[in-house]
Amino acid sequence: MTTTADERRTYGYADLSGLMGLMTGDEKHGPAATSTLDVLWVLYDRVLRVGPGLRDDPGRDRFLLSKGHGPMAYYAVLAAKGFLPVAWLPGFGSYDSPLGHHPDRVLVPGAEIGSGSLGHGLPIAVGTALGLRAQGLHDPAVWVLIGDAELDEGSNHEAIAFAGPAGLERLHTVVVDNSSASHALPGGIAARFEAAGWSAVTVDGRDHEALHAAFTATHPGRPHVVVARVEPKNP
């Protein structure tokens, strides 16, 4: 089996806009995608212990994309890191493409969950962290990316309230805050998690060094949330 030049190429952050540009269509949810780009890149490039060869490794980290609408940034990062062929990107959203408008864990290499209803990702992440702990797997980290508007869903608040007292230290949540929540007060997202016993930090969601420092901060005995602020969805 031969590989194409694109498959042999090494991609970096500067290539992501071009990779995203390969995906076209009327239902792209562009702002939802671009708001997550820097968070996804820093995680996959510098933090997550994942890779195409580790897809079935019990010791791998788990990354769950709850903010699944507008997944072009996610697909671009997965392609850049070798999980899926770049040649799949132009077919995004078409009838016979594995790259749907929400990722499908059965069809998308590297996807841990299928994304759909807002508010489901954090509860799944809590269950994943509990399951790994019950199996004695204490090294894998569980990461979930949610949007600030998902905090309008009660299921997330139940998960937040449970995870802190449960001491789920291997659970990490990234909230991409583009000011689209209906009920959140400015600056109140981190406080909501802290009230439930989480470690919390708020950073510029476009600053890679700030993101990396926040992602790798120690938080013994507590789950950790990073609120990544980006430009408002509707300025």
Side-chain angles (χ1 to χ4, degrees), residues 32-190:
T34 55
S35 68
T36 66
L37 186 62
D38 296 275
V39 163
L40 287 167
W41 179 254
V42 174
L43 282 173
Y44 273 88
D45 191 53
R46 302 174 62 180
V47 178
L48 294 174
R49 297 177 302 168
V50 296
L54 300 175
R55 286 169 52 190
D56 298 317
D57 186 338
R60 74 191 184 280
D61 289 344
R62 273 68 166 175
F63 174 78
L64 284 58
L65 181 70
S66 184
K67 185 180 168 70
H69 54 292
M72 291 88 68
Y74 183 50
Y75 294 152
V77 170
L78 289 178
K81 292 300 180 181
F83 287 89
L84 55 88
V86 172
W88 286 9
L89 300 180
F92 164 70
S94 60
Y95 174 77
D96 57 351
S97 173
L99 306 182
H101 293 291
H102 283 268
D104 185 327
R105 69 177 184 85
V106 176
L107 300 178
V108 180
E112 295 280 356
I113 62 170
S115 300
S117 299
L118 293 177
H120 79 306
L122 182 52
I124 293 174
V126 169
T128 301
L130 282 170
L132 291 170
R133 187 165 74 178
Q135 296 174 71
L137 295 173
H138 300 294
D139 288 333
V142 178
W143 288 82
V144 57
L145 191 160
I146 71 175
D148 61 321
E150 291 191 72
L151 294 175
D152 291 349
E153 304 292 336
S155 56
N156 273 336
H157 292 279
E158 293 178 3
I160 293 167
F162 176 87
L168 295 181
E169 182 178 347
R170 302 306 290 157
L171 174 63
H172 307 77
T173 299
V174 183
V175 183
V176 174
D177 180 6
N178 64 356
S179 302
S180 59
S182 299
H183 305 298
L185 296 175
I189 293 177

